[in-house]
């Protein structure tokens, strides 16, 4: 269902990025990159309220003709960005939310791996398979 | 003496994440300090041995198990009492050798390796080797020389974790000469 999933560090460099049709990889990278501005905007705009409610899900960042970009930010300011095909209208907000939660849990496991140094690129196989499963689920 | 007072037979609860992360930090630090994985394995085994020779006293004091009459009984106590007490798991015992001096402990889930994924450059590392050292050290203190080693490990893609235990000999108390 998702066509591109990215994990962005606090300092806005990518920790992990995968997109499914590899030929348009650059386009997705660009898309994720642009969305970071929207993420920053959202965080600073409703930063206070966000912290109070502990709401990590940022919702739809911006829709383009073919894709929708969703965002999620952890309390440690690590961002998850997910690009979804617009034609897939069956995908509801709730499902996106649960996908992000799954991603977050998996990311937590990666962080808990003693061989992973925080700030490095994520190379975990478990994380990789989880992302793959989210990408093909409904495709 | 307060420490002595709260040492009962019931096991105390502790956060498994803290435990796992502490052990993980220990192993990764060893990996940084030593050049190759063999040295790390050796070091883990030595640390485990030092833990084992102390832990056995605690174990005997808390568990009230009596003297074991044969190796099978020992195996049962290790799996059902010791592992349960200290790690909260009960490994199963299988693959007895015909002579009854070798068996395998099968760990369905190993609390030491939650979250862990071995990186490719540490393929020779035996992550949980500390356990072997503990078993060796503890049994040595009760006059049993054993050899313990990992033959299967979930970290290396096996379905289960298997520790192979081999009884070597009884250690006779050789009293110093001239003393009766």
């Amino acid at each position: 269902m998702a066509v591109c999933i990215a994990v962005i560090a606090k300092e806005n460099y990518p920790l992990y990025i995968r997109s499914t049709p590899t030929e348009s990889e650059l386009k997705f990278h660009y898309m994720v990159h642009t969305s970071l501005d929207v993420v920053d905007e959202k965080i600073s705009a409703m930063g206070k309220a966000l912290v109070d409610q502990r709401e990590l899900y940022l919702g739809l960042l911006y829709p383009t003709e073919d894709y929708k970009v969703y965002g999620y930010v952890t309390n440690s300011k690590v961002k998850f960005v997910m690009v979804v095909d617009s034609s897939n209208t069956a995908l509801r907000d709730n499902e996106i939310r649960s996908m992000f939660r799954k991603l977050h849990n998996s990311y937590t496991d990666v962080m808990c791996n003693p061989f992973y140094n925080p700030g490095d690129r994520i190379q975990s196989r478990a994380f990789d398979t989880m992302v793959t499963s989210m990408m093909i689920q409904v495709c | 003496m307060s420490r002595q007072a709260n040492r009962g037979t019931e096991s105390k609860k502790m956060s498994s994440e803290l435990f796992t992360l502490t052990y993980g930090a220990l192993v990764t630090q060893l990996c940084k300090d030593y050049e190759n994985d063999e040295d790390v394995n050796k070091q883990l085994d030595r640390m485990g041995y030092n833990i084992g020779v102390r832990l056995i006293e605690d174990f005997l004091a808390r568990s009230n198990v009596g003297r074991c009459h044969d190796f099978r009984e020992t195996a049962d106590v290790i799996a059902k009492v010791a592992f349960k007490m200290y790690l909260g798991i009960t490994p199963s015992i299988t693959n007895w050798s015909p002579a009854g001096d070798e068996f395998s402990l099968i760990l369905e889930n190993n609390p030491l390796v939650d979250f862990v994924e071995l990186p490719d450059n540490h393929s020779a590392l035996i992550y949980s080797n500390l356990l072997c050292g503990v078993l060796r050290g503890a049994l040595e203190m009760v006059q049993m020389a054993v050899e313990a080693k990992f033959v299967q490990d979930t970290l290396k893609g096996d379905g289960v974790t298997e520790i192979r235990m081999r009884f070597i000999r009884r250690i006779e108390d050789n009293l110093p000469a001239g003393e009766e």
Side-chain angles (χ1 to χ4, degrees):
Chain A
M1 51 170 85
V3 286
C4 177
I5 290 177
V7 180
I8 319 285
K10 187 179 168 211
E11 295 85 3
N12 282 340
Y13 63 88
L15 290 175
Y16 183 91
I17 181 159
R18 264 275 296 288
S19 46
T20 177
T22 33
E23 63 271 21
S24 45
E25 207 177 3
L26 187 65
K27 187 175 77 185
F28 288 126
H29 284 212
Y30 177 68
M31 219 179 229
V32 171
H33 191 164
T34 4
S35 73
L36 287 180
D37 278 342
V38 189
V39 170
D40 273 349
E41 215 169 89
K42 285 223 181 201
I43 294 174
S44 57
M46 43 193 230
K48 198 82 182 98
L50 216 66
V51 174
D52 287 346
Q53 291 167 20
R54 298 176 59 82
E55 173 64 63
L56 308 172
Y57 179 55
L58 294 174
L60 184 64
L61 296 179
Y62 68 88
T64 65
E65 214 160 289
D66 305 319
Y67 301 104
K68 285 181 183 152
V69 186
Y70 292 91
Y72 183 97
V73 60
T74 70
N75 285 325
S76 51
K77 299 285 176 287
V78 174
K79 295 127 192 142
F80 301 127
V81 175
M82 189 152 59
V83 183
V84 178
D85 208 318
S86 285
S87 61
N88 194 342
T89 46
L91 211 56
R92 269 186 235 118
D93 215 42
N94 253 346
E95 288 161 60
I96 300 279
R97 218 180 265 260
S98 76
M99 278 165 75
F100 272 126
R101 195 153 314 131
K102 238 170 89 183
L103 201 63
H104 193 171
N105 285 342
S106 197
Y107 172 74
T108 315
D109 285 353
V110 170
M111 284 301 287
C112 287
N113 179 0
F115 288 103
Y116 173 77
N117 300 315
D120 285 1
R121 277 195 85 93
I122 297 172
Q123 284 165 329
S124 153
R125 273 158 300 206
F127 191 77
D128 226 30
T129 32
M130 202 279 309
V131 168
T132 314
S133 78
M134 286 212 304
M135 284 181 150
I136 42 178
Q137 239 167 22
V138 186
C139 261
Chain B
M1 294 305 276
S2 62
R3 199 164 145 262
Q4 219 65 30
N6 60 28
R7 177 173 289 186
T9 40
E10 80 286 350
S11 55
K12 282 162 281 186
K13 290 260 184 291
M14 87 179 265
S15 156
S16 76
E17 280 87 359
L18 176 66
F19 174 65
T20 311
L21 290 178
T22 308
Y23 185 69
L26 172 84
V27 177
T28 42
Q29 188 58 45
L30 282 177
C31 287
K32 274 183 210 138
D33 292 349
Y34 290 89
E35 302 263 304
N36 60 40
D37 292 347
E38 273 75 28
D39 288 346
V40 178
N41 295 342
K42 216 177 289 167
Q43 205 60 32
L44 281 173
D45 184 77
R46 194 176 303 160
M47 285 166 142
Y49 177 83
N50 288 329
I51 294 173
V53 295
R54 292 164 173 78
L55 200 63
I56 186 72
E57 292 299 341
D58 179 69
F59 174 72
L60 293 175
R62 282 170 57 184
S63 65
N64 298 319
V65 293
R67 178 170 281 275
C68 296
H69 298 291
D70 59 5
F71 200 42
R72 277 171 195 273
E73 212 175 308
T74 311
D76 264 353
V77 171
I78 290 172
K80 302 211 176 82
V81 189
F83 268 86
K84 182 89 195 128
M85 188 185 284
Y86 294 111
L87 291 176
I89 52 169
T90 312
S92 48
I93 305 162
T94 50
N95 295 340
W96 277 98
S97 65
D101 63 342
E102 267 187 61
F103 68 94
S104 291
L105 287 167
I106 307 279
L107 284 74
E108 304 267 314
N109 60 339
N110 179 355
L112 293 178
V113 303
D114 291 341
F115 319 121
V116 178
E117 275 184 62
L118 278 189
D120 296 332
N121 57 342
H122 284 299
S123 52
L125 178 71
I126 309 170
Y127 187 82
S128 315
N129 210 27
L130 188 93
L131 291 182
C132 293
V134 173
L135 290 167
R136 188 166 64 86
L139 289 177
E140 191 179 298
M141 295 307 277
V142 286
Q143 284 84 47
M144 264 183 275
V146 295
E147 180 192 272
K149 61 172 191 283
F150 277 90
V151 287
Q152 285 192 78
D153 196 338
T154 42
L155 287 182
K156 302 206 167 126
D158 299 314
V160 289
T161 301
E162 176 180 351
I163 303 175
R164 190 79 180 148
M165 299 275 291
R166 190 165 70 85
F167 179 79
I168 302 172
R169 63 189 167 83
R170 281 194 69 82
I171 303 168
E172 302 298 337
D173 292 328
N174 33 0
L175 295 170
E179 261 181 66
E180 288 302 302

